[in-house]
Amino acid sequence: MIVSMFSFENTYARLPDRMFARIATHPVQDPQLVVLNETLARDLGLEPERLRSPDGVAVLSGSAVPAGAEPLAQAYAGHQFGGWVPQLGDGRAMLLGEIRDPEGGYWEIQLKGSGPTPFSRQGDGRAALGPVLREYILSEAMHALGIPTTRALAAVTTGQKVLRETALPGAVLTRVAPSHLRVGTFQFFAARGDTEALGLLVDYTIARHYPGIDTAFALLQAVVAAQAKLIAQWMAVGFIHGVMNTDNTHLGGLTIDYGPCAFLDQYIPGKVYSSIDRMGRYAYDRQPQVIVWNLAQFATCLIPLIDDDSDKAVAKATGAVHEFAALFSREWLRVFRTKLGLQKAEDDDPALIAGLLALMENEGADFTNVFQALARGNARDQFLDRPAYDRWHADWQNRQGLETTSPSSRRKLMQAASPVVIARNHRVEQAIAAAYTGDFAPFHRLNKALAQPFDNKPEFADLTHPPTDEEEVHRTFCGT
Ligand code: AMP
Ligand code: MG
């Protein structure tokens, strides 16, 4: 069945054949639409009604190829928890092609969980409903927070079971993003000594993400800067990615591959949720270090393209990666200052922020709610050691005195930088558990609240509460 629904351009399919594998569809038994992101569909210039129709759902489940699509699985490699894997690739994802939004921007339309590909290794190419809903919730929540991310256009159940620890309902996520280029995409070709492919990828990445620059070295600098910004934004909302492998590090500086990721409830800097991260490699407070390791892998791939003299190339690449520390500190300070209503830069700001974080850490205070309460002017209630808080508060008041802005504009600044509602782990798990019983209401309600994370709406007050001891989720799973 061929369905006309998108105006595809297939620029990735025009790259040399060795960069991907062409794949066939694997029709599913009974595709049912769980959710369609209508706002996103319209932003992309798509018609929600067509996507909702049986033909549309057939496409979104990977059962039918839309007209003009050239389905493929992208090749990539990567370091997983520091260990080199020469071939990963899209083992359960299918790129249908790219479309242009009304502004001319490119969007890859990719199905995740649509069946096996030549890169599936031992996997079944499928996804269970839980991880699909998890990615839908989390990626759209990140977008609403203003943090660069891949997007979720739709989720569909397949009517088929997938075998994990138990048999679970299968589902397919439609993920869209300007690209799915990863550090691992470059690593795949660097490891094979394929400099020609690397050159093509440099041009492709620049055209898609960084128009205006023109060298591999400039690309490296741009990716370092984009990641510094991204990780600072993660830190500012308490986000833990959980699997920062090089294949999950996006070259456009987007958050990608939502597996065991989670938001902090209590502020515990070394917090790890992921069941597979036993050593805490990807703990909350290690993210700024681990990304440097990933960027160093990217830099290594680019060496042959930076300078014919490899010593010079190494020196330049090393310098670019070392820039991360300064770029990250600047971004981190900027976002945390904003969370305190501060726009000027003062020498004591790092100490002021560190002082607050130390108080929060001592008491295991709720990360989101402390900043939210600071913005609303009632943070004292969030702390047990009131005298310690009062001392910090006095310092903060003094520091605010150096600003030229009004108290109300500072409050606005803070409220726009610190969300009221985040995708708390226990709420995500509750929404998924309900969905497994056929009740999608909590899933839809959570998405609705997360779409306006900075609004303080009484009807969503329950979603702002930290988990009770019984509700707390201690471990998250990739669920692949
Ligand atoms: P991830 O940990 O989700 O980033 O995935 C790492 C690698 O495993 C990628 O190459 C995925 O395509 C592959 N993979 C994950 N789950 C499956 C699955 N169910 N079937 C086939 N490949 C998979
Ligand atoms: Mg991945």
Side-chain angles (χ1 to χ4, degrees):
M1 177 171 44
I2 302 242
V3 181
S4 171
M5 196 159 299
F6 306 93
S7 298
F8 281 116
E9 292 181 28
N10 298 302
T11 67
Y12 212 88
R14 298 285 85 78
L15 290 169
D17 283 351
R18 60 190 188 280
M19 296 199 181
F20 54 83
R22 292 190 190 272
I23 50 178
T25 51
H26 298 273
V28 301
Q29 243 157 41
D30 179 25
Q32 298 286 340
L33 188 66
V34 170
V35 61
L36 175 70
N37 189 338
E38 293 213 357
T39 317
L40 176 59
R42 287 201 193 87
D43 288 348
L44 297 180
L46 301 172
E47 291 170 41
E49 286 65 40
R50 300 203 62 188
L51 294 170
R52 281 187 183 286
S53 71
D55 283 355
V57 176
V59 167
L60 298 173
S61 68
S63 297
V65 186
E70 295 183 43
L72 60 86
Q74 296 177 326
Y76 55 85
H79 281 93
Q80 299 191 310
F81 291 89
W84 171 241
V85 187
Q87 180 168 306
L88 290 163
D90 289 332
R92 56 171 160 166
M94 171 193 278
L95 175 65
L96 293 175
E98 304 121 69
I99 58 166
R100 301 271 211 130
D101 66 29
E103 273 82 58
Y106 278 101
W107 292 88
E108 288 188 350
I109 311 277
Q110 193 199 64
L111 306 180
K112 201 170 165 184
S114 52
T117 79
F119 301 112
S120 295
R121 296 174 291 167
Q122 274 76 283
D124 58 3
R126 292 289 176 193
L129 179 60
V132 163
L133 297 185
R134 200 176 168 79
E135 174 153 353
Y136 190 100
I137 297 167
L138 270 292
S139 63
E140 286 306 299
M142 289 293 264
H143 171 73
L145 288 168
I147 301 178
T149 176
T150 61
R151 303 289 306 276
L153 179 63
V156 178
T157 48
T158 60
Q160 292 169 197
K161 295 280 185 205
V162 295
L163 275 178
R164 296 296 180 256
E165 268 117 62
T166 55
L168 296 168
V172 177
L173 179 80
T174 305
R175 173 163 76 171
V176 302
S179 86
H180 292 81
L181 295 163
R182 310 137 189 275
V183 168
T185 316
F186 278 72
Q187 288 183 292
F188 183 91
F189 299 100
R192 288 159 179 78
D194 191 341
T195 312
E196 188 206 1
L198 290 171
L200 292 169
L201 277 175
V202 166
D203 294 343
Y204 195 93
T205 309
I206 289 174
R208 190 57 49 94
H209 293 289
Y210 306 102
I213 64 173
D214 59 1
T215 63
F217 181 65
L219 174 63
L220 173 59
Q221 290 179 305
V223 173
V224 169
Q227 285 292 341
K229 219 168 161 178
L230 178 68
I231 308 297
Q233 286 183 283
W234 287 1
M235 301 305 279
V237 294
F239 180 74
I240 310 172
H241 182 285
V243 218
M244 286 176 71
N245 293 333
T246 57
D247 56 300
N248 296 336
T249 300
H250 195 285
L251 295 176
L254 309 182
T255 313
I256 188 171
D257 279 4
Y258 291 81
C261 59
F263 285 84
L264 287 175
D265 292 303
Q266 288 187 316
Y267 179 60
I268 302 169
K271 186 76 186 173
V272 177
Y273 286 100
S274 170
S275 59
I276 55 172
D277 190 4
R278 294 205 182 82
M279 308 290 281
R281 180 179 171 93
Y282 300 137
Y284 171 76
D285 62 354
R286 283 194 40 88
Q287 298 184 119
Q289 292 153 51
V290 100
I291 194 68
V292 176
W293 195 90
N294 293 355
L295 291 167
Q297 306 313 312
F298 181 49
T300 305
C301 297
L302 296 180
I303 299 280
L305 300 170
I306 289 178
D307 201 301
D308 291 338
D309 178 335
S310 70
D311 288 345
K312 267 196 204 153
V314 169
K316 280 182 85 174
T318 307
V321 174
H322 283 176
E323 283 295 306
F324 180 90
L327 290 166
F328 174 76
S329 304
R330 203 177 67 199
E331 291 298 332
W332 188 90
L333 267 174
R334 194 181 56 73
V335 289
F336 276 87
R337 271 195 192 105
T338 312
K339 289 171 86 72
L340 295 180
L342 309 174
Q343 282 175 307
K344 288 188 171 172
E346 296 292 334
D347 289 347
D348 291 341
D349 291 348
L352 182 74
I353 299 165
L356 174 65
L357 293 174
L359 280 182
M360 288 164 62
E361 183 181 356
N362 285 344
E363 301 197 3
D366 187 86
F367 185 86
T368 301
N369 289 354
V370 165
F371 282 103
Q372 186 44 220
L374 287 171
R376 273 184 276 141
N378 56 359
R380 198 168 190 265
D381 303 346
Q382 298 284 327
F383 292 92
L384 301 170
D385 186 349
R386 301 271 158 90
Y389 173 73
D390 291 340
R391 281 193 296 279
W392 179 83
H393 188 262
D395 290 344
W396 182 37
Q397 289 296 109
N398 290 337
R399 172 61 184 82
Q400 290 186 59
L402 303 177
E403 294 286 306
T404 49
T405 51
S406 69
S408 78
S409 71
R410 286 201 290 278
R411 209 168 307 125
K412 280 208 189 92
L413 191 67
M414 294 171 69
Q415 283 170 353
S418 289
V420 181
V421 203
I422 53 157
R424 289 186 188 268
N425 232 338
H426 65 296
R427 294 300 186 182
V428 175
E429 292 300 329
Q430 285 167 6
I432 290 170
Y436 276 136
T437 71
D439 175 11
F440 289 91
F443 167 75
H444 292 301
R445 178 172 184 261
L446 187 56
N447 287 326
K448 197 172 171 205
L450 293 169
Q452 264 123 26
F454 301 102
D455 291 1
N456 196 356
K457 294 198 180 127
E459 71 263 37
F460 295 131
D462 57 307
L463 300 178
T464 69
H465 301 160
T468 61
D469 288 349
E470 297 76 59
E471 285 174 329
E472 191 172 351
V473 176
H474 296 281
R475 285 275 164 267
T476 51
F477 298 88
C478 283
T480 61

